[in-house]
Amino acid sequence: MTFDPTKAAATVEFGGQPYYFCSKGCAAMFQQNPNKFLTAANAAPAPQHPARATDSCCATAPAATQNSSQAVVLPNAGEGVRYTCPMHPQIVQVGPGSCPICGMALEPMDPLAQVEADPEYDSMKKRFIIALVLSIPLLVLAMSGETLLHDVPTASAQWIELLFATPVVLWCGWPFFERFWASLVNHSPNMFTLIGLGTGAAYFYSLVAVVAPQIFPPSLRDTNGAIPVYFEAAAVITTLVLLGQVLELRARRQTSGAIRALLDLAPQQAHRITETRDGANGNEQDVTLDRLVAGDALRVRPGERVPVDGVIRDGASAIDESMVTGEPMPVEKSAGDKVTGGTLNTSGSFIMKAERVGSDTTLAQIVKLVSEAQRSRAPMQRLADKVSSYFVPAVVAGALIAFAVWFFAGPEPRFAHAMVAAVAVLIIACPCALGLATPMSVMVAVGRGAHAGVLVRNAEALETLAKVDTLVIDKTGTLTEGKPTVENVTASGGLSQTEILRLAASLEAASEHPLARAIVRAAQDKQLTLAPVADFRATAGGGAEGRVENKIVRAGTLKFLGSAGVDISYARSQAASESATTAYVSLDEKLSGAISLSDPIKSSAKTAIKELHAAGIRIVVATGDRRQVAQRVAIELGFDQVEAEVQPQQKAEIVKRLREQGHVVAMAGDGINDSPALAAADVGIAMGTGTDIAIESAGITLLNGDLRGILRARKLSRATIGNIKQNLAFAFLYNTLGIPLAAGVLYPFFGWLLSPMIASAAMSLSSVSVIGNALRLRRMDL
């Protein structure tokens, strides 16, 4: 049964996304237990055409998830490693195999499985070696003809060729015939349709010629009265296609080098410390990472990598966090600081408490995102898919036309020339290079980006980023550090600035508010001795009050102080023009001072903004801060437009308005309040230092939270698009030139007729050339 998702009988929304169903009964089953079918969809027992249902329920998954509008099968759940097609991610099965749509070998979805042995590669390599051993003597035998077997009758020589060719074509080339048959059953013509037709026609015609030569008319016989056979062409073509598959699979394994390199960052073992009942450290034992649980105490020695995410409990060290931030300078860490699994401990020894283990670690999440992004498809791939859908039938028609022209108008032996031309057209026009052009570039680029701290969630974001002309930036945490610091202290009534800061810090020591912590840090930096506070009380959105050294100390907004009876008339006239956040301080109902706090601009922001402007990108800052604060940052950094005092939903509206004006918009942010705008933009760019929600809403994540990462991401995007265009141009040019040559257009002028064996070699080399060009992205300088 097949169905068109646009004509679905029912629609069910789950997880914020629509699922379309072929019948209301299927929809009802899915609605009762969606997770059952969604889990099953990720573990299909066999490859299926995406529009053909083999179970009791079939549905069309959301286009955003599958990058396809076709239906996917939701069969019974299976166990084992799941495999999918890099060009058709809606195809999923348990265990290795080939895609029923394009015939390409499937890849494991589990990143950890990519480091294991590749059974598809091993199988193709074994078949290639056997085919090569048998094809060489067959080729020599066929080319030498009567010279080598001058005493052997032609019929007997052809039986010898059949003996060599049969295992090559029928056993070594059996995977190609399986894929050929699948392409017919699933109505999805692909490269193996052409390979199956070409080699099958050459072999089975020759087989009939040897077994039953009497059925052929005299016009098809050569000067010796024998029927020409093409066993060597069928066998050598099969061998060369196998060689192409081996080289392709080996090259595709190289594209997963980023995954393997990331996995290698995690140590194989950890030093787990058992704790006694009184909390003291006990015995130390080396255990594998899969035995760790959250809460375990782990020792990390100098030169070792941190095993999992956690927090330092005892000790201190300098940690090389270049894996996450891209910065080569080690970061000083001490008790209470977070550490990330996979980062390198360069100096001291420390004991840490494991917080996130297994698939929850930062490294595991990075690996997962990279793996998923490598399998996503860029919009440019749609062009290649559309061309391929018409290309194979056109090639078959071209081969039939070439056969007819040679058979009816060509020189003698007409049938032999017709057969050679038709088979050569079928073989040389295999669209494998066209199909590989986009996914290979995407796979390599995503891996390269991961090593540069640019985490790409999907290929569409990578492609769109190259076209961005407007960048909307959130201020806090993106342009600024996101941590307020004391900028200035003013005092009146005979008190010094130091005394105002000391009293305010003594009060705020009991508060957990970010501004309060900034005031306390400023006092600690000046090594001021804080006094104890009594009768502490905090008012949300206002401030705090308490008794310090027998004085009633209040710190907060003017409104908060005014409600407590403090005279604020003088300060109110100045507050409107202030460009920084201010905490006013009063002693015993008298306004005595003010503490100005600001969020420092990141040291890299000025350079990044300047370079973004140089790249022709218009920059808009959108923030919920007061306009005076936003204007101060805008003047310092040189923005094109400032949108201040905006709510989260208003940020999304700003992005939408810019898009309606014809701009291609990227949004960079790090907070929960940025997630609507990140989702609304053409490309969402999340700072890796931000919230999980922001990261989930974005297409690209900058692991170190540095705006310069946008420049790296844009450079990667442009290089990837250029690489894809090169691959597509090469594939189109190859087929444009190759098909007429194979059909024999040069024969009337130069007497040249392309051998099917040469056509097969050219076809294989075209695929390898496309992959080799994509692999150049691994060496690009970001």
Short mmCIF file of all heavy atoms in Angstrom, two decimals, residues 33 77-78 131 177 194 283 298 338 350 354 360 475 479 487-488 594 604-605 618 651 661 728 743 752 766 773:
data_model
loop_
_atom_site.label_atom_id
_atom_site.label_comp_id
_atom_site.label_asym_id
_atom_site.label_seq_id
_atom_site.Cartn_x
_atom_site.Cartn_y
_atom_site.Cartn_z
N ASN A 33 -0.49 5.24 21.53
CA ASN A 33 0.86 5.03 22.05
C ASN A 33 1.89 5.49 21.01
O ASN A 33 2.50 4.69 20.32
CB ASN A 33 1.09 3.55 22.38
CG ASN A 33 2.38 3.32 23.16
OD1 ASN A 33 3.16 4.25 23.38
ND2 ASN A 33 2.61 2.10 23.58
N ALA A 77 9.53 -2.86 16.51
CA ALA A 77 10.86 -2.50 17.00
C ALA A 77 11.80 -3.69 16.92
O ALA A 77 11.41 -4.83 17.10
CB ALA A 77 10.77 -1.99 18.43
N GLY A 78 13.07 -3.42 16.65
CA GLY A 78 14.08 -4.46 16.65
C GLY A 78 15.22 -4.04 17.55
O GLY A 78 15.22 -2.96 18.11
N ALA A 131 37.07 -11.17 -7.72
CA ALA A 131 36.73 -10.75 -9.09
C ALA A 131 37.99 -10.38 -9.87
O ALA A 131 38.12 -10.70 -11.06
CB ALA A 131 35.77 -9.57 -9.04
N PHE A 177 23.10 -6.86 -8.43
CA PHE A 177 21.83 -7.35 -8.97
C PHE A 177 20.72 -7.26 -7.93
O PHE A 177 19.55 -7.01 -8.28
CB PHE A 177 21.99 -8.80 -9.46
CG PHE A 177 22.77 -8.91 -10.73
CD1 PHE A 177 24.07 -9.39 -10.73
CD2 PHE A 177 22.22 -8.52 -11.95
CE1 PHE A 177 24.80 -9.49 -11.91
CE2 PHE A 177 22.94 -8.61 -13.13
CZ PHE A 177 24.23 -9.09 -13.11
N LEU A 194 21.26 0.90 -13.87
CA LEU A 194 22.09 0.93 -15.08
C LEU A 194 23.16 -0.15 -15.07
O LEU A 194 23.43 -0.79 -16.08
CB LEU A 194 22.73 2.31 -15.22
CG LEU A 194 21.77 3.51 -15.24
CD1 LEU A 194 22.54 4.80 -15.41
CD2 LEU A 194 20.74 3.35 -16.33
N ASN A 283 39.36 3.38 49.13
CA ASN A 283 40.18 2.75 48.12
C ASN A 283 39.94 3.35 46.74
O ASN A 283 38.86 3.89 46.45
CB ASN A 283 39.88 1.24 48.07
CG ASN A 283 40.26 0.56 49.37
OD1 ASN A 283 41.23 0.95 50.02
ND2 ASN A 283 39.49 -0.44 49.78
N LEU A 298 35.85 10.68 41.59
CA LEU A 298 36.87 10.26 40.63
C LEU A 298 38.13 11.09 40.82
O LEU A 298 38.06 12.29 41.04
CB LEU A 298 36.37 10.42 39.19
CG LEU A 298 35.00 9.83 38.86
CD1 LEU A 298 34.59 10.23 37.46
CD2 LEU A 298 35.01 8.32 38.99
N LYS A 338 33.19 23.65 37.43
CA LYS A 338 32.75 22.57 36.55
C LYS A 338 33.89 22.11 35.64
O LYS A 338 34.73 22.92 35.21
CB LYS A 338 31.59 23.05 35.67
CG LYS A 338 30.35 23.51 36.44
CD LYS A 338 29.52 22.33 36.90
CE LYS A 338 28.19 22.81 37.50
NZ LYS A 338 27.34 21.68 37.93
N PHE A 350 43.30 16.32 41.09
CA PHE A 350 42.09 16.72 41.83
C PHE A 350 41.11 15.57 41.89
O PHE A 350 41.21 14.58 41.14
CB PHE A 350 41.44 17.95 41.19
CG PHE A 350 41.01 17.76 39.76
CD1 PHE A 350 39.76 17.23 39.46
CD2 PHE A 350 41.83 18.15 38.71
CE1 PHE A 350 39.36 17.06 38.14
CE2 PHE A 350 41.44 17.99 37.40
CZ PHE A 350 40.20 17.44 37.10
N ALA A 354 31.28 13.08 39.75
CA ALA A 354 30.64 12.88 38.45
C ALA A 354 29.20 13.38 38.50
O ALA A 354 28.46 13.08 39.44
CB ALA A 354 30.66 11.40 38.07
N ASP A 360 24.94 11.28 28.47
CA ASP A 360 24.56 12.61 28.94
C ASP A 360 25.72 13.61 28.97
O ASP A 360 25.50 14.80 29.17
CB ASP A 360 23.97 12.53 30.36
CG ASP A 360 22.65 11.77 30.39
OD1 ASP A 360 21.93 11.81 29.37
OD2 ASP A 360 22.36 11.12 31.41
N LYS A 475 22.25 40.85 23.50
CA LYS A 475 23.38 41.50 24.17
C LYS A 475 23.97 40.64 25.28
O LYS A 475 25.13 40.26 25.26
CB LYS A 475 22.96 42.87 24.74
CG LYS A 475 24.11 43.64 25.40
CD LYS A 475 23.64 44.95 25.97
CE LYS A 475 22.85 44.74 27.25
NZ LYS A 475 23.68 44.23 28.37
N LEU A 479 27.17 39.37 23.44
CA LEU A 479 28.17 40.44 23.30
C LEU A 479 28.89 40.69 24.62
O LEU A 479 30.03 41.15 24.63
CB LEU A 479 27.48 41.74 22.86
CG LEU A 479 26.85 41.72 21.47
CD1 LEU A 479 25.99 42.95 21.28
CD2 LEU A 479 27.91 41.63 20.41
N GLU A 487 31.02 48.71 38.49
CA GLU A 487 31.74 49.65 37.62
C GLU A 487 32.17 50.91 38.39
O GLU A 487 33.25 51.44 38.16
CB GLU A 487 30.83 50.03 36.45
CG GLU A 487 31.48 50.89 35.40
CD GLU A 487 30.53 51.18 34.25
OE1 GLU A 487 29.80 52.19 34.34
OE2 GLU A 487 30.50 50.39 33.29
N ASN A 488 31.28 51.35 39.30
CA ASN A 488 31.58 52.60 40.00
C ASN A 488 30.81 52.65 41.31
O ASN A 488 29.72 52.08 41.42
CB ASN A 488 31.22 53.80 39.12
CG ASN A 488 31.66 55.11 39.74
OD1 ASN A 488 32.73 55.20 40.35
ND2 ASN A 488 30.82 56.14 39.63
N ALA A 594 25.52 55.05 45.90
CA ALA A 594 25.01 54.24 44.79
C ALA A 594 26.15 53.39 44.23
O ALA A 594 27.31 53.82 44.22
CB ALA A 594 24.42 55.13 43.71
N SER A 604 36.54 39.83 22.76
CA SER A 604 36.58 39.50 21.33
C SER A 604 35.47 40.15 20.53
O SER A 604 35.46 40.06 19.30
CB SER A 604 36.47 37.98 21.16
OG SER A 604 35.24 37.52 21.70
N ALA A 605 34.51 40.83 21.21
CA ALA A 605 33.33 41.34 20.53
C ALA A 605 33.67 42.41 19.49
O ALA A 605 33.15 42.41 18.38
CB ALA A 605 32.33 41.88 21.54
N ARG A 618 24.91 43.17 8.03
CA ARG A 618 24.28 44.21 8.83
C ARG A 618 23.97 43.64 10.21
O ARG A 618 23.42 42.55 10.32
CB ARG A 618 23.00 44.68 8.14
CG ARG A 618 22.23 45.78 8.84
CD ARG A 618 21.17 46.32 7.89
NE ARG A 618 20.32 47.31 8.54
CZ ARG A 618 19.13 47.04 9.06
NH1 ARG A 618 18.64 45.81 8.99
NH2 ARG A 618 18.41 47.98 9.63
N LYS A 651 11.44 39.74 20.12
CA LYS A 651 12.67 39.40 19.38
C LYS A 651 12.32 38.58 18.14
O LYS A 651 12.87 38.80 17.05
CB LYS A 651 13.64 38.64 20.27
CG LYS A 651 14.29 39.47 21.36
CD LYS A 651 15.33 38.66 22.11
CE LYS A 651 15.99 39.49 23.21
NZ LYS A 651 17.03 38.75 23.94
N GLN A 661 11.27 41.87 4.97
CA GLN A 661 11.91 42.93 4.19
C GLN A 661 12.88 42.38 3.14
O GLN A 661 13.50 43.15 2.40
CB GLN A 661 12.64 43.89 5.12
CG GLN A 661 11.73 44.69 6.04
CD GLN A 661 12.49 45.48 7.09
OE1 GLN A 661 13.73 45.43 7.15
NE2 GLN A 661 11.77 46.20 7.93
N LEU A 728 28.87 19.02 -8.06
CA LEU A 728 27.73 18.92 -8.98
C LEU A 728 28.14 19.27 -10.41
O LEU A 728 27.72 18.61 -11.36
CB LEU A 728 26.61 19.83 -8.50
CG LEU A 728 25.87 19.40 -7.22
CD1 LEU A 728 24.88 20.48 -6.79
CD2 LEU A 728 25.13 18.08 -7.44
N ALA A 743 28.01 6.55 -26.62
CA ALA A 743 27.07 6.23 -27.69
C ALA A 743 27.77 6.12 -29.05
O ALA A 743 27.20 5.57 -30.00
CB ALA A 743 25.96 7.28 -27.76
N TRP A 752 36.48 5.93 -33.29
CA TRP A 752 36.59 5.60 -31.86
C TRP A 752 35.25 5.10 -31.34
O TRP A 752 34.21 5.73 -31.51
CB TRP A 752 37.00 6.84 -31.04
CG TRP A 752 38.38 7.33 -31.36
CD1 TRP A 752 39.34 6.70 -32.09
CD2 TRP A 752 38.92 8.60 -30.97
NE1 TRP A 752 40.46 7.47 -32.19
CE2 TRP A 752 40.25 8.64 -31.50
CE3 TRP A 752 38.46 9.67 -30.24
CZ2 TRP A 752 41.08 9.74 -31.33
CZ3 TRP A 752 39.30 10.77 -30.05
CH2 TRP A 752 40.60 10.79 -30.59
N SER A 766 34.93 8.74 -11.41
CA SER A 766 34.16 9.96 -11.20
C SER A 766 33.65 10.04 -9.77
O SER A 766 33.68 11.11 -9.14
CB SER A 766 32.99 10.03 -12.18
OG SER A 766 32.00 9.05 -11.87
N ASN A 773 37.42 15.36 -3.71
CA ASN A 773 37.24 16.81 -3.66
C ASN A 773 36.57 17.22 -2.35
O ASN A 773 36.93 18.22 -1.74
CB ASN A 773 36.39 17.27 -4.84
CG ASN A 773 36.30 18.79 -4.93
OD1 ASN A 773 37.30 19.49 -4.87
ND2 ASN A 773 35.09 19.31 -5.06
#
